[in-house]
Amino acid sequence: MTKNKNNQAIWGSRVRSNTSSIFQKVGNSIDIDKRLYKEDIKGSIAHVEMLFKQKIISFKIKNKIIYGLNKIEKEISKKKFEFNKKYEDIHINIEKRLFQIIGEEAGYIHTARSRNDQVITDLKIWMKSSSQEINIVIDKLIKSSLKLAEKNIDTIMPGFTHLKNAQAISFAHYLMAYVEMFERDKRRFRNSLESLNENPLGVAALTGTSFNIDRNYTSKKLGFKRPTNNSIDTVSDRDFVLDFLFNVSICAMHISRIAEELIIWNSDGFNLINLSDKIVTGSSIMPQKKNPDLLEFLRGKSGIAYGNLFSMLTILKGLPLSYFKDLQDDKEIIFKSYDNIIDCLKILDEVLKNIYPNKKKMLELAKSGFITSTDLADYLVKNYSIPFRKAYQKTIDIINLAEKKKKRLDQLTLVELKSIDPKLTNDVLKIFDLKNSVNSKKSYGGTSFDNIKKMIMKYKKQK
Ligand code: ARG
């Protein structure tokens, strides 16, 4: 049954004829899951150590298996391992090779486990370190954002709502908004470690096992906090995959928002930022062009991230318990989402190091659109003890006057202002100063220079 010749199944099977050749070609997952070889070997070593501790296998067999597994790990890392599609996945490829190296006794390795628990053990170990890896890359991006913010505390620009000038802000305050988002992205990945910290190993196919195994022992060995509680749930569960894909999607969405904003600001219509040649591409026909392709790449990739999340949600919808082949695709989806988000985070980091705000243009744009109107209404409330709604109405009258005279608010004379409200004095003119406007927003979280400096310091200290 367990003949140890090349290209021969390592277990006897009731399946008599060869599986359909087209399925042999497409039904295997080795090209994808070979990425889990280290985790698979780590899991197997912990498993056989536990089997020995529980007196299920002998000391000699345990050592032989571990010797073989270490040898296989070296072969794979040195690219001397021949992966075979016929053996479906990484688990069987490794087990098959173990037979070649140590012979029949390799067969003890699969005592009290199944590929069903093995594969998610591998995947959870991989996802734990990958989530941490993502957070390290997000941290680098946050550092670059802080650096750019620090240089632009007094860079004044319009803050937009509906893409119309709303109120003046500091460019640094805008950047710090993304720092908040990326910090939350990190927290999301961190929070998801909770379910990744439950060890699936030992639930076997779906029922648990009659062998006297110690799942706490393998949990500890593999860096999990505790074993999972229910064997059926364990082999069926891919919630943790969805959490990861969702976390990636949100992070990709944040990236796409800043990308889109920078694309708009770089457009000839806005001209608020310049991009260095490192982050633009030319056109094959229009010689003058410098296109923000990297930013467009970032904006587009959020679509891929969402697609991956929806692929997995759809695979799981209506799937009965417990394991089905449908679940095999989870890894391809996860790996794609991971590679994608790492690339996007690194590209955005590079973008932030290569953008230059056009400070003059930002200030100029901030002067238009009656941007200090809210400041004026607030001033009237504070100085003339009138309700905000009344001040709002009076401000509208002043804006209408300015519009009629084709002037900005700061170009109105005191005489003109007094024609709307005779009580107004020279003092009101300071309200139209943009720096003053930005700096007056001292409420916690507002755009005042001091607030921004404090926030930058707070996050810099954490890095
Ligand atoms: N390659 C399989 C997967 O990724 C491993 C689990 C196989 N289990 C099974 N009962 N066929 O899902």
Side-chain angles (χ1 to χ4, degrees):
M1 182 176 88
T2 51
K3 287 269 167 57
N4 177 20
K5 283 184 194 152
N6 263 344
N7 294 342
Q8 206 170 333
I10 54 176
W11 65 79
S13 156
R14 280 174 22 85
V15 182
R16 291 224 175 114
S17 68
N18 281 339
T19 311
S20 123
S21 58
I22 170 79
F23 188 71
Q24 276 189 37
K25 213 166 126 198
V26 299
N28 71 82
S29 59
I30 187 62
D31 285 342
I32 307 289
D33 59 27
K34 64 182 175 198
R35 196 161 164 172
L36 293 174
Y37 81 91
K38 275 198 178 132
E39 290 76 9
D40 197 71
I41 288 171
K42 191 176 169 188
S44 290
I45 290 177
H47 183 65
V48 292
E49 277 173 340
M50 181 277 293
L51 291 178
F52 162 67
K53 182 185 88 72
Q54 296 301 97
K55 303 190 170 56
I56 297 167
I57 61 171
S58 71
F59 182 68
K60 196 176 133 234
I61 290 173
K62 175 204 72 158
N63 282 350
K64 258 183 136 173
I65 292 176
I66 293 177
Y67 160 79
L69 289 171
N70 284 328
K71 192 170 157 63
I72 292 169
E73 179 163 1
K74 272 190 207 117
E75 287 176 359
I76 300 178
S77 62
K78 287 185 179 152
K79 302 207 172 358
K80 285 185 179 143
F81 188 95
E82 216 179 290
F83 291 104
N84 193 333
K85 288 193 176 172
K86 193 170 169 186
Y87 303 124
E88 277 188 42
D89 54 30
I90 186 64
H91 324 296
I92 305 301
N93 268 270
I94 288 178
E95 194 173 323
K96 164 77 183 156
R97 178 75 187 121
L98 192 64
F99 269 84
Q100 290 176 340
I101 297 171
I102 68 167
E104 284 268 299
E105 280 158 339
Y108 282 102
I109 196 176
H110 217 51
T111 314
R113 79 169 185 193
S114 140
R115 277 187 297 164
N116 296 353
D117 56 341
Q118 195 180 349
V119 67
I120 36 176
T121 304
D122 297 359
L123 189 57
K124 278 187 163 182
I125 297 173
W126 184 90
M127 284 172 66
K128 267 169 64 174
S129 65
S130 298
S131 301
Q132 280 151 2
E133 189 53 43
I134 290 174
N135 277 357
I136 290 172
V137 184
I138 296 181
D139 246 337
K140 285 190 182 143
L141 176 61
I142 291 175
K143 262 193 194 159
S144 302
S145 314
L146 291 174
K147 244 188 184 165
L148 189 59
E150 215 170 7
K151 280 193 222 150
N152 284 287
I153 294 172
D154 55 6
T155 304
I156 291 169
M157 65 174 294
F160 305 101
T161 61
H162 312 267
L163 213 52
K164 300 275 286 177
N165 281 13
Q167 289 181 271
I169 58 164
S170 149
F171 179 46
H173 196 52
Y174 159 83
L175 291 166
M176 293 304 288
Y178 280 98
V179 167
E180 293 294 326
M181 291 177 235
F182 294 132
E183 284 288 339
R184 285 199 298 278
D185 290 341
K186 270 171 49 193
R187 198 191 312 154
R188 228 171 267 112
F189 282 107
R190 222 181 303 129
N191 290 345
S192 298
L193 291 177
E194 202 46 44
S195 53
L196 290 177
N197 264 325
E198 293 184 339
N199 176 21
L201 194 60
V203 303
L206 78 161
T207 58
T209 174
S210 59
F211 287 100
N212 176 30
I213 61 170
D214 182 348
R215 296 189 60 213
N216 286 312
Y217 178 86
T218 50
S219 298
K220 218 167 163 193
K221 279 254 149 185
L222 295 172
F224 291 106
K225 281 197 180 147
R226 65 193 84 85
T228 53
N229 288 327
N230 179 294
S231 57
I232 301 176
D233 169 52
T234 304
V235 292
S236 318
D237 171 33
R238 293 297 183 276
D239 303 6
F240 63 93
V241 171
L242 294 175
D243 285 339
F244 183 85
L245 297 172
F246 178 70
N247 297 344
V248 167
S249 295
I250 295 195
C251 184
M253 175 271 289
H254 288 151
I255 293 173
S256 81
R257 291 183 78 170
I258 191 168
E260 167 67 353
E261 244 154 4
L262 297 178
I263 290 167
I264 294 173
W265 296 357
N266 178 246
S267 68
D268 296 316
F270 274 76
N271 191 21
L272 293 185
I273 54 163
N274 297 318
L275 310 179
S276 92
D277 280 2
K278 219 174 156 190
I279 55 165
V280 293
T281 59
S283 152
S284 61
I285 175 170
M286 296 168 281
Q288 84 282 15
K289 286 291 230 122
K290 285 188 174 184
N291 294 327
D293 274 31
L294 275 78
L295 290 166
E296 291 162 17
F297 174 96
L298 294 177
R299 185 178 53 189
K301 284 287 179 269
S302 55
I304 307 282
Y306 296 2
N308 290 343
L309 171 62
F310 273 84
S311 297
M312 198 63 217
L313 280 168
T314 313
I315 287 170
L316 290 170
K317 182 190 173 296
L319 193 70
L321 308 185
S322 60
Y323 178 84
F324 289 87
K325 185 83 168 174
D326 313 40
L327 296 171
Q328 178 166 283
D329 279 324
D330 59 357
K331 286 165 291 301
E332 183 169 6
I333 294 171
I334 283 270
F335 293 156
K336 274 189 186 159
S337 268
Y338 171 79
D339 291 341
N340 205 1
I341 200 70
I342 290 282
D343 286 345
C344 287
L345 287 164
K346 287 183 176 167
I347 290 174
L348 182 57
D349 187 39
E350 199 152 316
V351 165
L352 292 186
K353 288 178 178 143
N354 285 282
I355 61 170
Y356 302 95
N358 187 347
K359 297 186 186 189
K360 247 172 108 181
K361 194 70 212 289
M362 281 182 166
L363 189 63
E364 199 179 297
L365 186 61
K367 283 180 183 163
S368 65
F370 309 113
I371 203 164
T372 48
S373 300
T374 315
D375 302 84
L376 177 58
D378 291 349
Y379 173 86
L380 297 175
V381 171
K382 284 189 238 166
N383 289 272
Y384 297 96
S385 303
I386 52 171
F388 180 78
R389 272 292 155 249
K390 210 166 174 189
Y392 178 96
Q393 197 51 52
K394 214 175 265 292
T395 306
I396 288 180
D397 295 342
I398 295 174
I399 298 167
N400 286 342
L401 175 71
E403 198 170 44
K404 209 168 107 200
K405 302 226 171 235
K406 296 196 171 22
K407 284 184 170 183
R408 299 192 313 245
L409 289 179
D410 64 320
Q411 292 168 329
L412 288 173
T413 62
L414 186 59
V415 176
E416 285 166 334
L417 287 163
K418 272 179 177 290
S419 74
I420 303 291
D421 189 336
K423 287 198 291 292
L424 288 170
T425 66
N426 243 336
D427 186 56
V428 70
L429 300 177
K430 69 169 190 253
I431 284 306
F432 305 124
D433 178 70
L434 290 176
K435 219 169 191 168
N436 183 39
S437 163
V438 172
N439 208 24
S440 68
K441 309 296 165 23
K442 293 193 195 304
S443 57
Y444 184 82
T447 187
S448 78
F449 303 125
D450 242 27
N451 272 356
I452 300 170
K453 275 181 211 155
K454 274 187 199 147
M455 275 300 163
I456 294 177
M457 281 318 290
K458 172 178 129 89
Y459 283 117
K460 265 180 86 174
K461 265 190 208 150
Q462 287 174 15
K463 305 288 145 209

